[in-house]
Amino acid sequence: MLTYLINGISLGSVYAIIALGYTMVYGIAKMLNFAHGDVIMVGGYMAFCATSYLGWPAIPSVLFSVLVCTVLGIVIERLAYKPLRNASSLAVLITAIGVSYFLQNTALLIWSSNPKAFPNLVSLPNLSVGSIQISSVAMVTVAACIIIMVGLTLFTDKTKMGKAMRAVSEDKGAAQLMGINVNGTISLTFAIGSGLAAIAGVLLCSAYPTLMPTTGAMPGIKAFTAAVFGGIGSIPGAMLGGILLGLIEIFGKAYISTQLSDAIVFAVLIIVLIVKPTGLLGKKVNEKV
Amino acid sequence: MSMLSVENLHVYYGSIHAIKGISFEVNEGEIVTLIGANGAGKSTTLNTVAGLLKPKNGSVQFEENSLLGIPVHKIVGKGMALCPEGRRIFLQLTVQENLEMGAYSRPGSEIEASIEEIYQRFPRLKERHKQIAGTLSGGEQQMLAMGRALMSKPKLMMLDEPSMGLAPILVEQIFDIIKELNEAGTTILLVEQNAQMALSVAHRGYVLETGRIVTTGTGAELLEDDAVRKAYLGG
Ligand SMILES: Nc1ncnc2c1ncn2[C@@H]1O[C@H](COP(=O)(O)OP(=O)(O)OP(=O)(O)O)[C@@H](O)[C@H]1O
Ligand SMILES: [Mg+2]
């Protein structure tokens, strides 16, 4: 029982970190970046290459992965989404799906569809509390999630750039009148989201060490669900949604059915959205004109 | 000296020709008003000057330098601020954060002193500095919108219908503030539906009709002008 709880929170923390990327990009650029899940996969492969091919130690490998994904996020936004800034949201959505397939197929070309065994990057001992074992990966994952959450909250609440980001998410025109560079802010958001995706990729592959070009797809969709569940656009919502989703999935697998666990996850989402369409912590848009 | 000079400006929304070759000037130290009916093109003009819209033709010069082709977010740093129609404050940010955003283009070290100045002018904002802006009353939101625009220390302040939706007593107050700002050295370009009030504070005015300037003169002249009285002052 406690083991399930720990596994659920740990898996949920990965979803939460991915969901943050969805939610931030949605908040600023008002688009669903469906390629976000595949950036996780790229992050996994980058860390894999750095350790297995180049023989780098864990920390530099993770940093390398974060760096590559950050740049990748900026490049995707510039090349694929920026030209569509004023296009219909359907066109943007289709482009995002296109980018997703592009990343998957490129990975397929480079690394083939054979699963790669992800190296163990977390070389800490597991923790035993009484009869329960807590894996070091789970501990690192939860710690990373907490640090990211606190860091992002401080960033958006306290820093000039973070406040500007909130201003842009509300009204791009007014933000520009203040002197805020909206394009720069959108790039920054993609950079942060993609950097987080790299971290999520490393954590995910550490917990489930098989790496394939489709590795990011399912966690991506679930994290998107988590973001909607918590209230898309809301940072604490993404956190809460991610953790709850992880718990539901693990407990569903344990007590109800392994095959049905994903169906349960989506059933819960649908119920929440019927009861509260804006998600758990979603903001009501209260505009006074 | 001419602070803002607009010449032969044409602005389109897709195929809609909203501004059809207007020219006007704002000199240093003046209050100039643009009046006209709904849809005449007043907001379009201000938004184009501020860089939010790109004109098809014509020139916009601020202190002898062309503003065309300069990215919007760089324009405020040149000393021009627009307090847009409908206020457009950041509803989910606090009052104080809104003011900080107004000073985005300025060095951080000067901001605190400027915020104090704004609070002196608008004590209501000080009382509510931690409140989320969306929960302010309409009048307070207008004060915040003006305060936010002033945070950039503009030489030219453009105001788009600052009296919209406000009770008469608040309208008086807003116009008093505009006069005070002007006396303290800020040049003002004011767009108003309330032509009576606008013309009585303005040094000069322009009357806009469906994208063209049809009349111009001093505030007093326009208040006396028969056509203007008929169209905008209720006889
Ligand atoms: N985004 C837009 N797309 C298409 N047409 C527009 C747009 N904004 C304004 N227009 C048109 O341009 C013309 C000028 O509009 P503008 O908003 O500048 O008028 P205004 O003088 O500010 O009016 P009001 O007093 O009602 O604010 C109008 O005919 C309007 O319908
Ligand atoms: Mg208008």
Side-chain angles (χ1 to χ4, degrees), chain A residues 102-158:
Chain A
F102 176 79
L103 292 177
Q104 284 186 23
N105 286 322
T106 309
L108 200 60
L109 219 67
I110 302 178
W111 291 290
S112 86
S113 60
N114 293 336
K116 301 267 188 276
F118 197 76
N120 182 12
L121 292 179
V122 185
S123 49
L124 297 169
N126 294 347
L127 187 71
S128 305
V129 186
S131 61
I132 313 158
Q133 278 256 325
I134 306 176
S135 78
S136 53
V137 172
M139 286 186 293
V140 169
T141 303
V142 174
C145 180
I146 293 171
I147 294 170
I148 288 168
M149 171 78 189
V150 171
L152 267 188
T153 308
L154 287 177
F155 173 73
T156 51
D157 283 2
K158 302 281 180 232

Side-chain angles (χ1 to χ4, degrees), chain A residues 16-25 28 33 36 39 65-75 77 148-149 151-156 159 161-163 165-166 184-200 235:
Chain A
I17 298 171
I18 308 170
L20 282 172
Y22 272 111
T23 251
M24 288 181 71
V25 164
I28 305 290
N33 178 18
H36 190 60
V39 178
S65 161
V66 169
L67 183 74
V68 171
C69 286
T70 303
V71 173
L72 178 66
I74 296 173
V75 170
E77 196 275 326
I148 288 168
M149 171 78 189
L152 267 188
T153 308
L154 287 177
F155 173 73
T156 51
T159 67
M161 241 183 225
K163 290 174 193 175
M165 223 178 223
R166 281 152 62 211
T185 309
I186 292 177
S187 288
L188 178 69
T189 312
F190 272 84
I192 294 176
S194 306
L196 293 181
I199 294 176
I235 289 179

Side-chain angles (χ1 to χ4, degrees), chain A residues 226-245:
Chain A
V228 176
F229 189 37
I232 194 142
S234 151
I235 289 179
M239 266 346 233
L240 181 67
I243 303 231
L244 285 179
L245 207 75

Side-chain angles (χ1 to χ4, degrees), chain A residues 22 64 87 100 198 249:
Chain A
Y22 272 111
F64 171 71
S100 166
E249 182 176 335

Side-chain angles (χ1 to χ4, degrees), chain B residues 70-85:
Chain B
I70 295 179
V72 198
H73 66 271
K74 297 232 168 100
I75 288 181
V76 62
K78 302 199 176 291
M80 176 197 291
L82 168 63
C83 187
E85 182 171 53

Side-chain angles (χ1 to χ4, degrees), chain B residues 13 16 18 36-45 85 160-161 191 193:
Chain B
Y13 292 103
I16 301 171
N38 290 112
K42 308 180 294 293
S43 300
T44 304
T45 305
E85 182 171 53
D160 196 342
E161 299 202 29
V191 156
Q193 290 270 337

